[in-house]
Amino acid sequence: RTRLTQRPGGTQGLKALNMSQREQLTAAAPTANASCEEAVMKGWFSEVSDEMWPGQAMSLKIDEVLFRGKSDFQDVMVFQSAKHGRVLILDGVIQATERDEFSYQEMITNLPLCSLKDPPKKVLVVGGGDGGVLREIVRHPTIEHLDIAEIDGMVIEMSKKYFPGMSCGFDDDRVHVHVTDGIKFVGDAEEGTYDAIIVDSSDPVGPAAVLFERAFFEKIHRALKPGGVVCTQGECIWLHAELIKDVLEMCKDIFTGGSVQYGFTTIPTYPSGQIGFVMACKPDENGKTATFVKPERPPPVAPEGTKLKPLRYYNSAVHSAAFVLPEFARAAVEPFVVPGTGFQ
């Protein structure tokens, strides 16, 4: 989710610097939660950015503020909303609401994991401190070891306290939590360690900015096994086409001989109601790569006796549909997409 605040000089100042969209986001300062809370009217939280979505703002009515604090990295807030349940805010941006978080969590997890040649055994999550992606990964019965590298321990703490439906994945014995710099963790991993790496990051502003840079993706490529896949939060095609093309082009260059794709999901409380995913696959020992556009296996079924509810968004048809883009989006990303060979 993108956080770009008005700075001295305004939009014209940024244009004068001739920055790319990614450079603008990386250079921007995070938004304070309090400024969004009072942006429209008292008692409402509104995402306001005159630069990134001028003239529009997603607003949620606040029933009660449950937590407000500042970690070593960002501004953290949790409130009870009127219609969307509890809401997690980081640096002025809605990260998750109890009403619709499942669409994002299920898709960022199962688009890559169900595209693998073989069922996943060892997976890494970078970011994802709310626990939602962990919850979806542990549905897969073949998982043997699941690492999460989250830089901000306060996000984990607040999720466990206020979002038990999301954070239940932390309770699984296969999960190993590392409160640390995700880039360092990936860089320290042995070559060919993971079947999949899922980057559930905030937007390229503040502590998450480095998660959109080339050096990080090179480390990911090294840490993946042959045939392994990465899936990263890929911003909104309605708002950030230039940034998306930049990341896709970078993956195309790094994943030589591999495949690169862009898919999306709908989610009402994210800007323009949509967010995308950038996916890349490292070729396997036979040079084969994931197509991504067609799942290799059925959706996972949660084992009996767990806290996990049935899937509410992802299914095999939705998997394939995620890659059917409207014409303006197809035209923007197609030059940077590398179709997979499939594993047959």
Side-chain angles (χ1 to χ4, degrees), residues 201-265:
S201 72
S202 302
D203 306 290
V205 179
V210 289
L211 301 181
F212 287 77
E213 295 178 357
R214 183 183 182 90
F216 179 53
F217 280 86
E218 289 175 340
K219 289 178 172 65
I220 286 175
H221 182 271
R222 179 182 174 277
L224 286 172
K225 295 178 181 179
V229 299
V230 60
C231 181
T232 183
Q233 183 268 104
E235 300 300 341
C236 177
I237 195 68
W238 289 96
L239 300 167
H240 312 118
E242 294 304 315
L243 171 63
I244 292 166
K245 288 191 287 186
D246 192 15
V247 176
L248 285 169
E249 185 175 25
M250 179 173 61
C251 287
K252 184 177 180 180
D253 186 47
I254 294 170
F255 285 77
T256 305
S259 56
V260 180
Q261 269 292 351
Y262 179 83
F264 75 98
T265 190

Side-chain angles (χ1 to χ4, degrees), residues 1-5 29-39 45-49 53 57-60 68-70 73-79 87-96 202-203 205 269 271:
R1 298 294 320 287
T2 301
R3 299 173 298 219
L4 187 58
T5 58
T31 302
N33 289 339
S35 66
C36 289
E37 186 182 348
E38 301 298 334
F45 178 90
S46 298
E47 281 185 323
V48 176
S49 173
W53 38 85
M58 179 66 195
S59 297
L60 296 175
R68 191 199 309 273
K70 192 171 185 63
F73 303 97
Q74 56 200 338
D75 205 2
V76 180
M77 178 180 175
V78 178
F79 67 84
V87 182
L88 174 64
I89 307 291
L90 300 179
D91 279 344
V93 174
I94 298 169
Q95 300 298 309
S202 302
D203 306 290
V205 179
T269 53

Side-chain angles (χ1 to χ4, degrees), residues 17-69:
L17 292 174
N18 197 28
M19 290 180 170
S20 70
Q21 188 173 43
R22 181 166 60 163
E23 289 170 334
Q24 292 178 24
L25 290 166
T26 301
T31 302
N33 289 339
S35 66
C36 289
E37 186 182 348
E38 301 298 334
V40 177
M41 65 188 82
K42 190 170 181 61
W44 288 73
F45 178 90
S46 298
E47 281 185 323
V48 176
S49 173
D50 292 336
E51 292 179 341
M52 289 308 298
W53 38 85
Q56 71 179 64
M58 179 66 195
S59 297
L60 296 175
K61 192 175 187 339
I62 300 172
D63 279 352
E64 180 185 2
V65 175
L66 302 174
F67 176 82
R68 191 199 309 273

